[in-house]
Amino acid sequence: MISNTDWKFGAEQFVRTLPDKVFVHCSEKNMFRLTLDGVDVMGDRLAEEVLEVIQRKPNLQKISFVAHSVGGLVARYAIGRLYRPPKKENVEDSTNGTSIDDLKATIGGLEPMNFITVATPHLGSRGNKQVPFLFGVPAFEKAANLLIHWIFKRTGRHLFLNDDDEGQPPLLKRMIEDYGDCFFMSALRIFKRRVAYSNVCYDHIVGWRTSSIRRTIELPKWEDYINKEYPHIVYEEHCKACDTEQSELISTDDDSFDKLEEELVTGLSRLSWEKVDASFHTCRQRARALNDDGFVLEDVPHLTDFLPHLPSYPNPLHHSHAYAIVKQTFVGPEDAVAQNIVVHKDSPRGVHFRRAGPREKVYFMPEEVRACIVTCGGLCPGINTVIREIVCGLNYMYGVDDVLGILGGYRGFYSKNTINLTPKVVNDIHKRGGTFLCTSRGGHDTNKIVDNIQDRRINQVYIIGGDGTQRGAALIYKEVEKRGLQVAVAGIPKTIDNDIAVIDKSFGFDTAVEEAQRAINAAHVEVESVENGVGIVKLMGRYSGFIAMFATLASRDVDCCLIPESPFYLEGPGGLFEFIEQRIKENGHMVIVIAEGAGQEYVAQAMQAADERDASGNRLLLDVGLWLTQKVKDHFTKVKKMEINMKYIDPTYMIRAIPSNASDNIYCSLLAQSAVHGAMAGYTGFTVGPVNSRHAYIPIARVTEAPNTVKVTDRMWARLLASTNQPSFLNSNEMLPM
Ligand SMILES: Nc1ncnc2c1ncn2[C@@H]1O[C@H](COP(=O)(O)OP(=O)(O)OP(=O)(O)O)[C@@H](O)[C@H]1O
Ligand SMILES: O=P(O)(O)OC[C@H]1O[C@](O)(CO)[C@@H](O)[C@@H]1O
Ligand SMILES: [Mg+2]
């Protein structure tokens, strides 16, 4: 399943990869309860939205769609509406100024390129095993067929093919032809590519057959297919258009495939499709590492993978006074850290990562090491501690004394001079907030950076930064490998948002939560001291509301916490205004904590703001705190005729700029030392971090493949709701994945 955050993340990747070439618009017209209105109503809204965008951006020339789940059907409906036939049909007269473009059909005037659906139920959801969570049990499937419209309203009827608007055939059937004034198939046909991504088993909601537009007998055997670059892709197929005039409908005795479904598959197969099948649970690379008991090691690269003759040396820690009496100085080659520690008696042992720590052998002579450290992205408490401990760790543990500081983030590699870092230079930097080396966004140019690494004869690169930085680190490692350089690339994850996957939490996060208490406390004191006081505290959290959630849980003074992962609404029963009124009546005051990324769609709508990005391609957020303050004020003074005392506090940068607290300081030291041990031992292309409290070396791709977000279906969010007793603003039964 795809969350809103995953979707936003995906959209950002397009812009990041092709910054000046694409404009990505994330549809906002069919959210939440609007997903129940039916595929046609949503399709009309989407068509209108696309036309608005085209009008706003007159330079657009081509158009592609990427749609998830029901969104794929909505997009198919919308293009049927947006189809514009060729303007001139008579090609013979080439003297009348008709341009060749006039002769082509378009989508809203633009050239259609890619039509991509991800887990879209193209054949509806009513056949056997088309909704995996019904487990293929006929009784459940039958009941769903009868009951689905109670839950998913009109959209449910469309999906289960039991709609009959004024005696018309079911909508999905209408959509395999041009029907009335909707050119469904003509529109789909003029796209250069049609791609259907589907999940071979584990999507839970949308079955494999329906999302891949196949009959049961056409489902391929995927177990032996290997895609080295994208291991989750387990099968790929280019299906040519199949002329239905010649091919008769395949009759089947198989109960699992009904006639209507057959008509849909036949109709859609009249066009060519690229089909991409994915599996996220039995990825082949991992499976190859499986033992009988299901043990999987997701290993990190080693310099000897591409430099097989690299000499090794005994680890200088053999003679270290620090480790002199340690019973087991070195981490065993087989030591691994389990990703999941809550398991069932009979379940496979599952994914593990290589345990971090010193190894018997190192692949660098200390006097040959020239290390460098760079810090990128936003600030976070503790960066200076990590810098300090890398410098001191390299020097005190391994006798390395050549460490360079790269100034001002990635671009500093090629645009600034370096500084020499010694234990003396960094001695007390951990007492200051910020980064001693300065930071920046943007400016990642892999070739220039690796050229510079080569020119300066740097052979260990320590990169401190968030998800974007780690992606940059992965590219540097790849280029280093391509050039066959003996350079270890170590990533140290940094983010105040705690949005990095796999690791337990990021450094500085605890400090941020602690500092946020002061702002919440101030808001509480303020609103407690006046009549009808409403305090709003905005905390950081672009896509992940962890700081807001933990600060709320820690404080006890917060009445309501709003985060990007949990949509909220203001008006009507169960809305925020009603809750504020109720709390003011009960307590005379209330405090709201809001993460900066929450409610962005509302603010954008209200301000009609353009989609602006920072130098790294991250979306620039609008001030949801100010917006909410104004909204609450207006509602109570104008609508409710009630005087309220609003106090808005924005402590975001104050929280980020402080030095780390004691526990984060210890955590930072461990991270730095683990990174140093890993690089000295020849590991590369890794990120270091705690997994279930044990430090591990994690392949960079694992920490960047998806952001860590608050799972509103997990117990922690339930604990928060139970603690504040705020409304959930959400009836999960009434939501469809879009
Ligand atoms: N996909 C990418 N490929 C290469 N470099 C990237 C990529 N994404 C971001 N970067 C680079 O990484 C650096 C930091 O990225 P970004 O500004 O997104 O912050 P971050 O590391 O995610 O940290 P945070 O979000 O916590 O502030 C920038 O210099 C940016 O150019
Ligand atoms: O320093 P900047 O560019 O204003 O970045 C602010 C952003 O950085 C973060 O602190 C970390 O990504 C976010 O919480 C916040 O939105
Ligand atoms: Mg980031």
Side-chain angles (χ1 to χ4, degrees):
M1 282 184 272
I2 297 181
S3 71
N4 213 6
T5 314
D6 299 336
W7 211 222
K8 279 184 191 160
F9 175 78
E12 286 198 0
Q13 300 318 303
F14 278 110
V15 182
R16 274 192 179 148
T17 318
L18 302 161
D20 304 318
K21 298 201 172 68
V22 293
F23 167 74
V24 180
H25 174 78
C26 298
S27 170
E28 287 166 351
K29 293 279 161 76
N30 288 305
M31 295 169 95
F32 314 126
R33 291 198 169 91
L34 299 181
T35 55
L36 308 174
D37 293 346
V39 171
D40 49 357
V41 174
M42 287 193 279
D44 279 332
R45 280 193 209 120
L46 177 63
E48 219 170 277
E49 189 177 4
V50 170
L51 289 177
E52 278 167 25
V53 174
I54 294 175
Q55 226 167 25
R56 264 205 330 263
K57 302 254 164 200
N59 292 336
L60 297 179
Q61 290 171 353
K62 302 179 178 182
I63 188 164
S64 292
F65 287 78
V66 185
H68 174 237
S69 193
V70 184
L73 299 175
V74 173
R76 275 179 47 204
Y77 190 96
I79 59 169
R81 283 274 190 224
L82 292 166
Y83 177 81
R84 305 281 176 269
K87 277 189 193 155
K88 301 268 187 276
E89 284 181 348
N90 184 358
V91 194
E92 277 161 28
D93 185 4
S94 57
T95 56
N96 64 358
T98 308
S99 88
I100 212 72
D101 286 344
D102 289 340
L103 303 173
K104 288 185 186 156
T106 65
I107 296 295
L110 304 185
E111 184 185 346
M113 301 302 289
N114 305 291
F115 190 88
I116 301 172
T117 62
V118 183
T120 287
H122 288 286
L123 313 180
S125 304
R126 81 172 186 191
N128 179 243
K129 294 189 184 152
Q130 295 289 47
V131 184
F133 73 70
L134 299 173
F135 312 112
V137 176
F140 289 0
E141 289 176 341
K142 224 176 194 169
N145 196 1
L146 296 173
L147 299 175
I148 207 71
H149 62 278
W150 290 106
I151 305 171
F152 293 138
K153 311 277 186 258
R154 219 161 152 263
T155 305
R157 285 197 189 282
H158 288 152
L159 288 178
F160 278 72
L161 307 159
N162 54 18
D163 55 305
D164 68 342
D165 283 347
E166 291 159 15
Q168 298 187 81
L171 181 65
L172 294 198
K173 184 164 173 204
R174 279 179 265 155
M175 284 169 58
I176 55 168
E177 308 284 347
D178 287 347
Y179 195 92
D181 56 355
C182 291
F183 296 86
F184 298 122
M185 284 305 264
S186 298
L188 204 49
R189 179 172 291 115
I190 58 173
F191 278 84
K192 291 226 160 38
R193 299 170 67 211
R194 287 158 293 280
V195 190
Y197 281 86
S198 36
N199 196 322
V200 298
C201 37
Y202 287 106
D203 183 75
H204 301 298
I205 304 265
V206 182
W208 187 15
R209 233 170 47 229
T210 186
S211 51
S212 66
I213 318 176
R214 290 188 183 107
R215 302 171 179 91
T216 312
I217 46 165
E218 292 167 343
L219 293 174
K221 286 233 162 300
W222 52 270
E223 283 76 7
D224 298 325
Y225 184 94
I226 286 183
N227 184 322
K228 280 201 180 126
E229 203 176 350
Y230 302 105
H232 299 303
I233 292 182
V234 296
Y235 201 80
E236 283 168 283
E237 193 178 11
H238 281 246
C239 298
K240 288 198 181 132
C242 173
D243 188 353
T244 44
E245 302 303 321
Q246 290 160 26
S247 72
E248 289 181 12
L249 292 187
I250 293 181
S251 71
T252 168
D253 299 333
D254 183 354
D255 277 353
S256 68
F257 206 79
D258 71 26
K259 189 158 166 287
L260 200 43
E261 214 178 287
E262 171 58 34
E263 286 178 63
L264 297 183
V265 85
T266 308
L268 288 169
S269 303
R270 276 185 270 144
L271 305 178
S272 64
W273 285 91
E274 290 168 42
K275 298 183 181 174
V276 185
D277 303 293
S279 166
F280 295 91
H281 287 65
T282 45
C283 143
R284 214 55 35 69
Q285 267 188 2
R286 293 181 206 171
R288 263 189 273 151
L290 271 174
N291 298 334
D292 287 349
D293 57 359
F295 177 91
V296 179
L297 179 67
E298 286 208 2
D299 209 356
V300 293
H302 193 273
L303 289 172
T304 51
D305 295 347
F306 58 95
L307 298 168
H309 304 299
L310 209 59
S312 63
Y313 314 93
N315 193 322
L317 283 180
H318 277 292
H319 312 293
S320 151
H321 68 275
Y323 279 82
I325 56 160
V326 172
K327 268 199 198 140
Q328 201 185 342
T329 304
F330 301 109
V331 169
E334 302 293 319
D335 288 1
V337 179
Q339 181 170 23
N340 290 323
I341 51 170
V342 179
V343 289
H344 295 283
K345 186 165 63 72
D346 302 321
S347 59
R349 290 177 61 199
V351 170
H352 292 68
F353 301 107
R354 208 168 263 286
R355 185 178 176 194
R359 301 307 206 252
E360 285 266 5
K361 282 188 200 158
V362 294
Y363 284 79
F364 291 94
M365 300 253 277
E367 56 277 21
E368 285 173 356
V369 173
R370 168 167 279 196
C372 76
I373 308 175
V374 63
T375 57
C376 314
L379 293 184
C380 172
I383 300 179
N384 283 336
T385 314
V386 177
I387 297 172
R388 183 188 190 279
E389 294 310 314
I390 293 173
V391 176
C392 294
L394 276 168
N395 191 279
Y396 299 158
M397 295 190 296
Y398 289 96
V400 171
D401 57 13
D402 193 359
V403 185
L404 302 178
I406 307 292
L407 296 175
Y410 276 134
R411 60 163 59 94
F413 271 104
Y414 52 85
S415 68
K416 291 218 161 82
N417 287 328
T418 55
I419 55 166
N420 289 323
L421 299 174
T422 61
K424 200 162 173 206
V425 170
V426 296
N427 185 42
D428 59 5
I429 62 171
H430 61 293
K431 294 174 191 161
R432 288 176 246 163
T435 158
F436 180 65
L437 297 175
C438 297
T439 183
S440 68
R441 298 196 188 271
H444 184 282
D445 183 324
T446 313
N447 279 319
K448 277 193 191 170
I449 292 171
V450 179
D451 286 350
N452 200 271
I453 288 172
Q454 227 174 330
D455 291 348
R456 291 187 201 270
R457 290 180 297 101
I458 290 168
N459 50 21
Q460 292 186 4
V461 185
Y462 295 91
I463 302 177
I464 307 169
D467 56 338
T469 306
Q470 301 303 317
R471 270 184 210 104
L475 294 179
I476 294 174
Y477 150 68
K478 279 249 153 75
E479 184 59 27
V480 161
E481 183 188 7
K482 197 169 119 196
R483 298 188 191 185
L485 307 176
Q486 188 196 342
V487 176
V489 179
I492 295 127
K494 165 237 59 118
T495 158
I496 194 124
D497 292 351
N498 195 33
D499 59 1
I500 295 197
V502 183
I503 62 170
D504 295 345
K505 69 180 164 190
S506 47
F507 72 80
F509 176 71
D510 272 355
T511 309
V513 170
E514 204 170 293
E515 186 67 6
Q517 301 304 298
R518 293 175 0 121
I520 294 172
N521 193 37
H524 188 237
V525 169
E526 286 286 343
V527 296
E528 224 184 9
S529 312
V530 293
E531 204 176 330
N532 295 343
V534 179
I536 295 183
V537 179
K538 186 178 80 171
L539 297 176
M540 276 189 174
R542 212 195 284 272
Y543 305 122
S544 308
F546 285 106
I547 301 181
M549 175 168 85
F550 278 80
T552 299
L553 274 165
S555 153
R556 320 275 151 195
D557 284 337
V558 180
D559 294 273
C560 185
C561 172
L562 304 171
I563 59 170
E565 296 88 335
S566 177
F568 66 94
Y569 55 94
L570 301 178
E571 324 242 357
L576 184 62
F577 290 155
E578 183 188 80
F579 181 61
I580 297 176
E581 195 178 341
Q582 179 198 326
R583 277 289 152 102
I584 292 180
K585 276 188 190 142
E586 281 168 11
N587 302 338
H589 62 269
M590 85 171 298
V591 174
I592 300 170
V593 160
I594 185 160
E596 59 177 349
Q600 283 295 313
E601 62 278 17
Y602 294 136
V603 198
Q605 239 166 25
M607 295 173 65
Q608 296 194 326
D611 182 21
E612 286 188 64
R613 310 255 151 189
D614 68 18
S616 295
N618 300 305
R619 191 170 168 195
L620 283 177
L621 300 177
L622 302 161
D623 195 329
V624 70
L626 276 180
W627 170 84
L628 185 62
T629 307
Q630 196 57 46
K631 279 279 176 194
V632 175
K633 210 187 274 177
D634 286 352
H635 175 80
F636 283 95
T637 47
K638 292 183 188 156
V639 182
K640 290 276 157 187
K641 310 284 181 228
M642 179 177 158
E643 270 309 308
I644 55 162
N645 250 304
M646 291 296 307
K647 308 285 177 199
Y648 174 44
I649 300 183
D650 177 352
T652 45
Y653 288 107
M654 292 178 69
I655 288 175
R656 220 175 59 160
I658 60 171
S660 48
N661 67 11
S663 75
D664 269 328
N665 254 336
I666 296 169
Y667 175 17
C668 290
S669 308
L670 255 74
L671 279 173
Q673 293 197 4
S674 296
V676 166
H677 292 312
M680 288 300 295
Y683 291 114
T684 181
F686 69 86
T687 296
V688 65
V691 178
N692 296 313
S693 308
R694 294 303 178 117
H695 280 236
Y697 299 135
I698 308 159
I700 297 181
R702 275 308 305 277
V703 294
T704 56
E705 65 190 0
N708 185 28
T709 52
V710 173
K711 306 281 173 299
V712 289
T713 45
D714 277 2
R715 287 206 186 91
M716 204 49 145
W717 185 243
R719 286 181 192 121
L720 178 136
L721 296 181
S723 155
T724 57
N725 207 15
Q726 68 188 66
S728 72
F729 301 110
L730 173 83
N731 177 352
S732 59
N733 280 345
E734 291 189 356
M735 279 192 68
L736 269 185
M738 282 292 294

